[in-house]
Amino acid sequence: MAKKRRTPEEASIDSSTQEMLVLAEGLGIGTAFTRADDMAACPIGADGLCCKICSMGPCRITKDGQTGVCGATVDTIQARNLVRAISAGAAAHSDHGRDMAFTLKAVANDETEGYAIRDIAKLRTTAAIYDIPIEDRAPKEIANDLADLYIAQFGQQKGELALVKRATKKRQKLWKEKGVTPRGIDREVVEALHRTHIGDDQDAEHLMQHAIRTALADGWGGSMIGTDVSDILFGTPAPVLGQANLGVLREDMVNVVVHGHEPTLSEMIVAASQTPEIIEYAKEAGAQGVQLSGICCTANEILMRQGIPAAGNFLQQELAILTGAVEAMVVDVQCIMQALVGLADNFHTDIITTSKKVKIKGATHIEFNEHKALTIAKDILRHAIDNFKNRGKVHIPDDRTDLVPGFSHEYINYMLGGSYRASFRPLNDAVMSGRIRGIAAVVGCNNPRSQHDQLHTYVTKELLKQDVLVVETGCGSIACAKEGLLLGEAGLDQVGPGLREICETIGIPPVLHMGSCVDNTRILTVLTQIAQEGGLGEDVEEIPAVGLAPEWMSEKALSIGTYCVASGAYVIFGGSSPVSGKPTRVPDSDLVTRIISEGWEEDYGGKLEFIPDADDMIQATLEHIDKKRADLGLPEYDPDKYGQSGDARMTELESLPLAERRESIYGVAAD
Ligand code: SF4
Ligand code: MSK
């Protein structure tokens, strides 16, 4: 019997997505939504109960007490599967970071075309952390030394990653005691693969300890390098006006959608698209110019730095092509669905792969090389413009929302205190007083097995009502952007009174967009700086804060979750647990679940839990925040205590006659 397909409304809460799903159905074209409906996830694999690491298997553990052919227990199999997933995620992020470091080296040595060091202040600040001399030195000299230091982190064999010193002293000491301080980025990933080979590490607890070390090599290594270098080369983000959703595509322009993760090519495509020769070339082809937009985290990279619009998040990549308006989708690495090529065959869209590491059968490959970056970016754009004449019928949903992204940790620090007294003090004070109940990072992917964007937006909105300040990255931030939550006062009527006062006073949206997947390291930095500021404990584990990935799907998300836990955070994932074992299937299979929750909480102060229900997620978040507040001796959260200042107070005062207004302000009756 054929499985029932969801209606577009059941598949997504986003109206433009629903519109495109109706169109796809009319055209008889499948998408990730229909493929997910048509193919149930394998229940044994989903629970982490299948091992296929040697050819005596694959072994499926479906009964209590059963083992694999080699005797591996359910605990070993689940732990090995999880370690491998976390290492793959760490590898993906870190290899991105490595490429960024090599680009910095090439820029420092004048070997590239089109790049410059845009943020010299960040270069100097970052170099100074590692005692690289900065006084009386040219930016390129400093950049060369920093690039060498960063490149060395990948192949380092002994000692500690240099970036670890950016964590709190207490955390560094804890990692050392637990033996999980990463030695070198590649070393931890390779060791994870070694340990999970047949006949190696077969103690779930020991395996999971290495998962921590590997994930730390990502969060306090590869990803952090990726963020640092992107800021140095392309500028540290600061608030900028942008737009999100499929309606950013333009009928009268050549549409080029960049998709993936690395900003090296997309930044160059932005630059190339603004050159007179490319604009002229587009006009000769009958278009008004080139409209660039992004999908996934490449979108986030150029949105938060350049204000280039985001056409959508992960589950909208196919839908962008379905508009018939995209001349080229230019992809680099990660989160690119293979289905794009087959889908594009129904339209004129050219899928262009650009990374040395990623080819997709049937796609056009134009290999990117930073030494000729601008030339290649222009070639890609000309290729797209040449395709404009092949465009057929176009259907672009009239759906786009303004947003203000670009809240790097540097900008948050600045916005709270200005140039002369930049500090996290006001934020800490707001949490301590209870105006802000706590902080939540709502991050991560979309997953077609849940309703697109629903969990991200529901969880975010409910937490905002409870005076929880929300920071976001990745596809979750695009989900909330589409709902108008990333735009100044637009979402403030749905925000708790204390948080509203803070947003109005500082002039910020209730949800702060902090960037792409690698930029979750910005959240680590913010939490560390909050701890160092004082008043909210000495370390991340004491802060009333929670991380959530409600619609996660990628191995990178598991690595992010794990490094946040190892840094002291409580992390909640939605969807299903990859190590649940479902008590009814294999009753005695909860060891790994206990290790990553209770075990890690005991060791690192943070824990990883999988909670499928949105309301349960919210309740767990608030309980954790309130517990941390109580542990710190902070006043109990009271929603009625605030809301009498900020814009609400101004409006109230403005409505009063002058004399009453004066009395209300100064407590002095009018003469
Ligand atoms: Fe089966 Fe053991 Fe081989 Fe895994 S390692 S497939 S459990 S025999
Ligand atoms: S792109 S890893 S779907 S956030 Fe970073 Fe989005 Fe998740 Fe990919």
Side-chain angles (χ1 to χ4, degrees):
M1 196 178 76
K3 266 194 81 215
K4 186 184 169 293
R5 281 193 178 167
R6 290 169 292 178
T7 63
E9 290 75 21
E10 288 166 337
S12 173
I13 61 155
D14 172 50
S15 57
S16 73
T17 298
Q18 293 167 0
E19 188 177 329
M20 296 314 291
L21 290 179
V22 172
L23 183 85
E25 193 178 359
L27 294 171
I29 294 175
T31 63
F33 295 93
T34 55
R35 291 190 295 274
D37 286 344
D38 294 348
M39 182 178 62
C42 165
I44 297 166
D47 293 346
L49 298 172
C50 171
C51 180
K52 53 185 179 64
I53 65 172
C54 91
S55 78
M56 293 189 281
C59 301
R60 295 171 305 161
I61 310 298
T62 53
K63 297 186 194 79
D64 203 13
Q66 198 180 16
T67 68
V69 173
C70 67
T73 63
V74 65
D75 304 330
T76 300
I77 290 172
Q78 287 188 323
R80 277 197 306 224
N81 287 337
L82 187 54
V83 171
R84 283 202 164 196
I86 290 167
S87 342
H93 276 151
S94 300
D95 213 30
H96 167 168
R98 183 202 320 268
D99 284 346
M100 297 306 304
F102 274 110
T103 304
L104 182 65
K105 175 85 180 164
V107 173
N109 289 281
D110 295 321
E111 290 166 3
T112 58
E113 181 193 72
Y115 297 108
I117 296 170
R118 291 231 191 109
D119 195 336
I120 293 170
K122 175 131 188 183
L123 169 70
R124 289 169 63 89
T125 319
T126 310
I129 296 173
Y130 311 110
D131 301 323
I132 293 172
I134 56 173
E135 294 311 327
D136 303 321
R137 296 185 82 200
K140 284 185 180 168
E141 282 179 273
I142 303 171
N144 187 55
D145 288 356
L146 182 62
D148 283 343
L149 183 134
Y150 274 175
I151 290 165
Q153 303 308 303
F154 292 90
Q156 185 169 289
Q157 301 301 319
K158 291 182 187 167
E160 298 180 354
L161 284 188
L163 293 89
V164 162
K165 71 194 286 195
R166 290 159 73 165
T168 62
K169 291 264 180 291
K170 198 174 166 192
R171 192 62 29 186
Q172 291 178 49
K173 187 164 167 273
L174 177 71
W175 290 336
K176 212 183 275 242
E177 280 165 14
K178 298 284 173 199
V180 295
T181 309
R183 296 155 291 188
I185 299 166
D186 293 355
R187 175 156 191 190
E188 306 311 348
V189 174
V190 168
E191 187 170 314
L193 291 177
H194 178 191
R195 283 199 196 194
T196 53
H197 184 271
I198 160 84
D200 270 307
D201 199 357
Q202 287 155 108
D203 175 327
E205 227 163 298
H206 194 232
L207 277 160
M208 294 319 298
Q209 184 200 29
H210 191 66
I212 292 271
R213 200 176 206 178
T214 309
L216 284 173
D218 173 2
W220 295 89
S223 279
M224 201 169 266
I225 291 172
T227 297
D228 281 350
V229 177
S230 299
D231 286 354
I232 290 166
L233 288 177
F234 307 120
T236 300
V240 57
L241 186 63
Q243 285 194 317
N245 219 340
L246 292 167
V248 304
L249 298 171
R250 293 274 303 266
E251 196 157 352
D252 56 349
M253 293 175 95
V254 173
N255 288 298
V256 176
V257 179
V258 288
H259 171 23
H261 281 78
E262 293 180 348
T264 33
L265 171 63
S266 51
E267 282 282 346
M268 214 39 69
I269 291 186
V270 173
S273 70
Q274 291 159 358
T275 59
E277 65 180 285
I278 290 296
I279 295 169
E280 195 48 41
Y281 195 70
K283 287 191 170 157
E284 281 166 20
Q288 292 297 312
V290 175
Q291 170 74 341
L292 269 189
S293 59
I295 293 273
C296 277
C297 282
T298 297
N300 285 318
E301 295 279 357
I302 53 174
L303 172 68
M304 65 179 170
R305 292 199 177 86
Q306 316 284 353
I308 301 294
N313 49 12
F314 177 67
L315 283 178
Q316 291 179 288
Q317 56 186 285
E318 293 174 289
L319 312 182
I321 295 172
L322 272 156
T323 63
V326 175
E327 275 58 51
M329 184 172 276
V330 184
V331 303
D332 50 50
V333 294
Q334 303 163 20
C335 301
I336 303 147
M337 291 190 196
Q338 185 165 0
L340 291 178
V341 175
L343 191 138
D345 284 346
N346 297 289
F347 303 90
H348 73 308
T349 309
D350 209 352
I351 306 294
I352 303 177
T353 50
T354 57
S355 167
K356 287 184 185 74
K357 298 166 200 164
V358 175
K359 283 193 175 183
I360 305 177
K361 198 165 168 51
T364 303
H365 190 71
I366 303 180
E367 198 155 295
F368 178 64
N369 166 354
E370 63 270 20
H371 304 291
K372 288 193 285 174
L374 193 58
T375 306
I376 295 169
K378 285 181 184 170
D379 284 351
I380 289 172
L381 288 176
R382 281 195 205 91
H383 188 93
I385 293 166
D386 290 342
N387 198 15
F388 185 64
K389 61 179 180 299
N390 300 319
R391 193 190 271 189
K393 204 164 161 227
V394 166
H395 183 116
I396 302 174
D398 186 17
D399 221 338
R400 67 198 76 75
T401 309
D402 288 344
L403 73 143
V404 178
F407 289 88
S408 54
H409 50 271
E410 286 89 346
Y411 188 81
I412 293 176
N413 196 23
Y414 162 77
M415 82 186 182
L416 291 167
S419 302
Y420 297 105
R421 49 188 177 89
S423 133
F424 275 79
R425 191 70 256 152
L427 179 62
N428 284 27
D429 287 345
V431 175
M432 289 166 71
S433 68
R435 267 197 175 81
I436 293 178
R437 184 174 184 173
I439 301 165
V442 184
V443 307
C445 322
N446 296 137
N447 189 325
R449 303 232 172 254
S450 60
Q451 192 184 24
H452 171 230
D453 289 349
Q454 192 270 340
L455 282 171
H456 280 302
T457 54
Y458 179 72
V459 167
T460 300
K461 284 179 183 174
E462 291 304 310
L463 291 176
L464 292 175
K465 284 184 203 161
Q466 298 291 327
D467 288 305
V468 175
L469 177 70
V470 177
V471 298
E472 301 202 337
T473 62
C475 290
S477 57
I478 301 177
C480 288
K482 291 184 284 180
E483 287 281 296
L485 295 170
L486 274 64
L487 184 67
E489 58 284 353
L492 289 187
D493 55 336
Q494 304 159 47
V495 167
L499 177 59
R500 183 178 179 143
E501 281 184 12
I502 298 291
C503 292
E504 286 171 347
T505 307
I506 305 175
I508 52 168
V511 179
L512 303 181
H513 180 301
M514 294 192 73
S516 63
C517 314
V518 289
D519 293 332
N520 285 302
T521 61
R522 294 190 201 277
I523 299 174
L524 292 180
T525 306
V526 165
L527 292 173
T528 302
Q529 291 183 351
I530 288 174
Q532 287 165 341
E533 185 62 44
L536 291 175
E538 280 175 64
D539 197 8
V540 173
E541 67 178 276
E542 294 173 72
I543 300 170
V546 177
L548 299 108
E551 299 180 32
W552 77 281
M553 63 88 200
S554 77
E555 292 166 315
K556 290 185 295 169
L558 290 170
S559 178
I560 294 166
T562 305
Y563 72 61
C564 287
V565 170
S567 304
Y570 175 28
V571 176
I572 300 171
F573 274 42
S576 62
S577 163
V579 291
S580 77
K582 298 269 193 302
T584 49
R585 191 187 310 281
V586 184
D588 197 18
S589 65
D590 65 345
L591 179 65
V592 179
T593 301
R594 284 188 282 116
I595 291 171
I596 63 177
S597 51
E598 297 144 38
W600 281 355
E601 186 169 37
E602 207 178 309
D603 286 347
Y604 304 103
K607 60 180 171 178
L608 179 58
E609 286 184 346
F610 292 82
I611 303 179
D613 181 77
D615 290 314
D616 292 346
M617 252 184 244
I618 293 159
Q619 193 185 338
T621 301
L622 295 174
E623 280 172 6
H624 181 82
I625 283 174
D626 290 345
K627 180 176 182 307
K628 292 293 167 184
R629 292 188 65 86
D631 290 350
L632 286 166
L634 299 179
E636 208 171 308
Y637 165 70
D638 176 4
D640 298 326
K641 199 168 163 194
Y642 296 105
Q644 301 309 314
S645 63
D647 290 1
R649 177 74 172 141
M650 292 301 290
T651 313
E652 187 194 317
L653 287 173
E654 273 165 21
S655 69
L656 297 175
L658 190 61
E660 279 180 48
R661 198 184 307 172
R662 191 173 164 201
E663 185 174 357
S664 182
I665 297 172
Y666 302 110
V668 179
D671 294 335

